[in-house]
Amino acid sequence: MSLLEFRDVTVDYASNEGPIPAVRGVTLTLERGEVLGIAGESGCGKSTLAATVLRLLPANAKIGGEVMLDDVDVLTMNWGKLRTVRWAEAAIVFQGALHALNPVQSIGDQIAEPIRLHKTAKDVNARVAELLQQVGLPASRAKSYPHQLSGGQRQRVMIAMALACSPDLIVADEPTTALDVMVQAQVLDLLTGLVRDLDMGMVLISHDLGVLGTTCDRIAVMYAGQVVETGAALEIFDQPKHPYTKALAGAFPRVGDPTARYAPAGLPGDPPYPGDIPSGCAFHPRCAIAIEACATTTVELVGGVRCIRVGA
Amino acid sequence: MILSTRDLKVAFGPVRAVDGVDLDLGAGEILALVGESGCGKTTLARTLLGLVKPTAGTVSFEGKPLDYRKLKQYRRQVQLVLQDPLGALNPRHTVYDAVAEGIRIHKVDRQAGRLGRTDGGPQGDEQELVADALSRAGLRPPERFFLRYPHELSGGQRQRVVIAGALVLQPRVLIADEPVSSLDASVRGEILGLLLKLREELGLTVLVVTHDLGLAWNIADRVAVMYLGRIVELGPTADVLQSPQHPYTQALLSVVPDVERTEQIVLKGEPPDPARIPSGCRFHPRCPVVMEACLTTTLPVLTPDAGHHTACLRVG
Ligand SMILES: Nc1ncnc2c1ncn2[C@@H]1O[C@H](COP(=O)(O)OP(=O)(O)O)[C@@H](O)[C@H]1O
Ligand SMILES: Nc1ncnc2c1ncn2[C@@H]1O[C@H](COP(=O)(O)OP(=O)(O)O)[C@@H](O)[C@H]1O
Ligand SMILES: [Mg+2]
Ligand SMILES: [Mg+2]
């Protein structure tokens, strides 16, 4: 039994112009003790997919497929059950979490909130102190307010909150995007250490394939709401097959690589708006190796790659 | 030298944000200024832009120290580039207005023609300057972009508009503070490529402030590593990034994700409060290879020449 399973998950946002398909049939699994990375440019549906795990989507979102958390479908759970699942079985560290803390409440009180709600510890203060230590902050920090902390420290507080009710699964949505490289390394070290020590599972979302490549066990690369490549993390980072993954990997050069010197690699254009997805392979208008057939052939995920030009 | 600093210090009360920096920027050079958050990079950049007055020391442009009573001319020569996702563009302004803003602020003197044309109608001048800046920034044909709004553009195009806004005053120097850090990977390469192209075509000098060493490897001629208000390592990019001498530079490099998974040196904590700069080598409390002498020996400010220099007792 997997910790988390997405089975053909779809999400459509209702809009005036009709449904907007932000996630278009994603199937992925995550085991305990494992870190699954989700890569892709902004707008590819990463956050939307992540939010399905706890059904934390706005009212105009319609979810399809199954999201199995410990073999129970989150999408069919009643509200009461869902409430206990949130925080206690799975917790999300959100993108932009740096602004998610309440500025007028001490961080100790904020970490205590889910513990009180779920009554998961008798001595709340002791639990808060333990959590702060787990994320590398002195217990005395409980009395601080968010503005007294650095960006990296606030991100640690968010992680402490996510851990508060000892979930089995953590979903971290761009947890390091606004942080500098050293703080990023510290936060990633912390997260992967926790996954290992507490035998949890983690879904880590980032647009930085390098971060995922060195932190995760497996990676799924998303484009226009679909997985276009999936496999072992280092392989995807080091030997990407899909032209989209190649472009993402090329954008973060290896220091010392002579071919990247004075030659930054980019990928012009933007991912398509989900209300207006190109026919055939959704990536074909931006693809360097597209052929005519790419504009018309619906492409399946074969051997972990969704591309008719790969392995053909 | 187009831009130099000597013994530059900027303090906010007890906070010594920039604490003795000698730096020379040659014409047409791309220099990357790297370091963790809080090391004083933005303060140094703002001081070079003339937005912050030094507490001590000098900033010189083409050999002449800045006259802080007459900065208008200078400000035009040295332009700031921020990143669009952090609010560089006003969503309610058209591309034309966004780019023309600089001209209007600086009330470019059409007769004097310091910024290009001396002929043409009153509107014509501004329009031509805007069109020229947009096409330099790779938005062609420029007229097609005049009346568009930021939300109608791709991420890469929006960042190009920001750069066009800096180019319209025909500056000699661009100072780009984290120009791509929150942009998508795909856009990042596109924008870095544009900076290289501008250097080639216009001879622009560029100072890029970044914590991204991959970016420095992509485009910089030289790298200056800043720690707690000082440059602690300075030199040609290949030397600094391939044979880093300072333990701080070595640590920064070790945490850049790479496929070889080289041993990471993850430093503990964050740079200390610049109101209480440690004695001796300012890096000693976090240094993995600290020696007794590092606690007490004061290190000199690095020579700003083209060589490779390191402020560390263990080196040289
Ligand atoms: N509440 C919403 N209503 C309509 N469209 C939305 C909503 N939230 C997100 N979208 C659209 O869904 C797509 C995927 O968004 P998101 O999941 O945030 O992607 P990512 O996290 O990869 O950047 C985007 O095109 C976005 O504009
Ligand atoms: N206007 C200011 N007043 C007081 N302290 C400041 C001011 N601007 C910057 N600082 C402090 O100076 C130090 C360097 O900041 P900054 O130049 O922004 O560094 P960086 O850009 O490397 O992150 C920080 O400790 C910061 O808090
Ligand atoms: Mg997102
Ligand atoms: Mg800064």
Side-chain angles (χ1 to χ4, degrees):
Chain A
M1 182 181 77
S2 301
L3 176 58
L4 175 69
E5 243 188 293
F6 295 106
R7 293 184 187 158
D8 200 21
V9 174
T10 59
V11 179
D12 294 276
Y13 288 109
S15 81
N16 299 336
E17 299 131 49
I20 297 168
V23 175
R24 304 187 296 141
V26 169
T27 297
L28 288 169
T29 58
L30 172 73
E31 309 299 333
R32 237 165 249 284
E34 196 182 41
V35 182
L36 169 68
I38 300 185
E41 290 162 287
S42 37
C44 284
K46 305 180 300 295
S47 295
T48 302
L49 178 69
T52 64
V53 175
L54 292 176
R55 268 168 49 199
L56 290 169
L57 283 164
N60 69 330
K62 191 171 139 274
I63 316 178
E66 291 167 274
V67 179
M68 310 297 290
L69 193 58
D70 262 333
D71 246 10
V72 183
D73 187 357
V74 177
L75 304 185
T76 59
M77 271 178 200
N78 64 31
W79 174 240
K81 174 75 177 137
L82 190 63
R83 257 191 76 216
T84 61
V85 166
R86 288 187 185 166
W87 297 109
E89 283 191 41
I92 302 195
V93 179
F94 276 110
Q95 181 169 18
L98 300 184
H99 310 287
L101 291 169
N102 183 344
V104 297
Q105 200 182 13
S106 76
I107 62 155
D109 281 348
Q110 298 188 56
I111 297 171
E113 224 169 73
I115 306 173
R116 294 214 168 90
L117 191 71
H118 289 274
K119 302 186 177 61
T120 46
K122 284 206 191 69
D123 187 343
V124 176
N125 287 339
R127 177 67 180 144
V128 169
E130 179 186 35
L131 286 163
L132 284 172
Q133 262 149 20
Q134 243 170 7
V135 298
L137 291 173
S140 59
R141 274 295 184 192
K143 293 193 211 68
S144 304
Y145 287 83
H147 74 269
Q148 296 169 309
L149 305 181
S150 69
Q153 289 171 330
R154 273 179 283 184
Q155 195 56 276
R156 287 172 193 268
V157 171
M158 295 304 298
I159 295 169
M161 277 174 84
L163 292 175
C165 299
S166 314
D168 297 323
L169 171 67
I170 288 205
V171 179
D173 191 351
E174 309 260 10
T176 61
T177 299
L179 305 174
D180 75 45
V181 274
M182 193 55 71
V183 180
Q184 167 171 290
Q186 292 168 351
V187 169
L188 293 174
D189 255 18
L190 170 67
L191 283 170
T192 47
L194 289 166
V195 168
R196 194 182 49 237
D197 298 345
L198 305 176
D199 198 31
M200 301 187 293
M202 178 159 78
V203 177
L204 180 63
I205 297 175
S206 174
H207 68 273
D208 184 336
L209 205 56
V211 162
L212 296 180
T214 50
T215 311
C216 300
D217 300 294
R218 284 181 308 119
I219 293 178
V221 181
M222 281 184 76
Y223 190 76
Q226 292 180 322
V227 173
V228 295
E229 183 164 2
T230 173
L234 269 183
E235 238 164 79
I236 295 237
F237 179 38
D238 196 22
Q239 293 140 24
K241 297 195 184 75
H242 196 286
Y244 180 61
T245 319
K246 279 190 181 156
L248 286 184
F252 292 96
R254 189 174 59 77
V255 169
D257 174 4
T259 63
R261 196 77 182 115
Y262 295 121
L267 171 63
D270 267 343
Y273 175 61
D276 189 16
I277 292 171
S279 62
C281 166
F283 184 60
H284 86 260
R286 300 171 78 194
C287 181
I289 58 163
I291 52 173
E292 240 169 72
C294 299
T296 50
T297 319
T298 308
V299 197
E300 302 298 327
L301 199 58
V302 181
V305 189
R306 192 185 293 275
C307 177
I308 55 171
R309 300 280 280 137
V310 171
Chain B
M1 290 307 136
I2 185 151
L3 203 54
S4 319
T5 72
R6 284 298 177 274
D7 202 27
L8 188 70
K9 294 186 178 167
V10 181
F12 305 102
V15 175
R16 285 144 65 192
V18 175
D19 195 40
V21 167
D22 286 12
L23 202 57
D24 279 341
L25 269 171
E29 177 177 44
I30 300 184
L31 179 90
L33 180 65
V34 307
E36 287 163 291
S37 305
C39 281
K41 306 184 297 298
T42 295
T43 304
L44 177 55
R46 289 173 54 80
T47 312
L48 291 174
L49 284 156
L51 299 172
V52 175
K53 206 176 159 184
T55 315
T58 52
V59 175
S60 305
F61 182 68
E62 293 182 317
K64 286 200 242 16
L66 296 192
D67 177 350
Y68 286 86
R69 290 161 310 176
K70 285 189 281 181
L71 275 189
K72 207 164 174 189
Q73 193 59 33
Y74 174 71
R75 289 231 176 96
R76 202 191 274 168
Q77 306 276 2
V78 184
Q79 285 288 312
L80 174 65
V81 175
L82 292 171
Q83 45 185 323
D84 158 56
L86 303 183
L89 290 178
N90 183 330
R92 284 191 291 274
H93 286 182
T94 60
V95 165
Y96 184 91
D97 285 337
V99 176
E101 192 182 336
I103 309 179
R104 291 170 187 165
I105 289 174
H106 282 268
K107 292 200 194 62
V108 171
D109 185 350
R110 290 178 206 110
Q111 298 311 312
R114 260 204 73 88
L115 276 170
R117 309 176 53 91
T118 47
D119 55 344
Q123 278 302 305
D125 258 351
E126 182 184 275
Q127 245 192 47
E128 248 175 83
L129 289 172
V130 171
D132 186 52
L134 284 171
S135 51
R136 291 264 181 229
L139 296 168
R140 291 191 210 99
E143 292 77 16
R144 271 189 46 201
F145 290 90
F146 280 177
L147 298 179
R148 310 262 290 268
Y149 285 89
H151 71 91
E152 299 172 297
L153 304 175
S154 76
Q157 289 173 330
R158 282 198 296 270
Q159 193 57 37
R160 288 173 187 271
V161 173
V162 174
I163 292 175
L167 292 178
V168 75
L169 292 164
Q170 303 179 352
R172 306 275 311 279
V173 182
L174 287 187
I175 295 191
D177 195 349
E178 300 283 6
V180 295
S181 69
S182 66
L183 298 180
D184 267 321
S186 46
V187 178
R188 179 183 181 280
E190 185 185 333
I191 296 305
L192 297 183
L194 174 61
L195 291 177
L196 280 174
K197 200 182 77 142
L198 290 172
R199 180 258 286 273
E200 200 159 295
E201 291 176 355
L202 304 173
L204 275 183
T205 304
V206 185
L207 177 81
V208 240
V209 176
T210 181
H211 59 250
D212 175 352
L213 293 170
L215 182 162
W217 180 258
N218 266 155
I219 67 166
D221 305 312
R222 285 196 302 150
V223 175
V225 182
M226 194 164 184
Y227 187 76
L228 216 49
R230 278 278 176 99
I231 307 295
V232 297
E233 184 160 1
L234 173 69
T237 300
D239 295 348
V240 174
L241 298 188
Q242 292 187 285
S243 340
Q245 303 291 303
H246 200 289
Y248 181 59
T249 315
Q250 290 167 354
L252 285 180
L253 267 162
S254 79
V255 296
V256 177
D258 67 29
V259 285
E260 282 93 39
R261 295 208 188 205
T262 35
E263 191 61 39
Q264 291 204 336
I265 310 163
V266 181
L267 297 175
K268 292 224 166 49
E270 290 165 34
D273 181 357
R276 285 187 290 269
I277 293 178
S279 65
C281 166
R282 54 194 65 213
F283 183 60
H284 86 252
R286 295 171 84 204
C287 182
V289 293
V290 62
M291 310 177 296
E292 192 76 42
C294 303
L295 278 60
T296 49
T297 315
T298 311
L299 296 163
V301 171
L302 294 182
T303 318
D305 66 21
H308 185 180
H309 303 285
T310 310
C312 174
L313 275 185
R314 283 184 173 273
V315 179

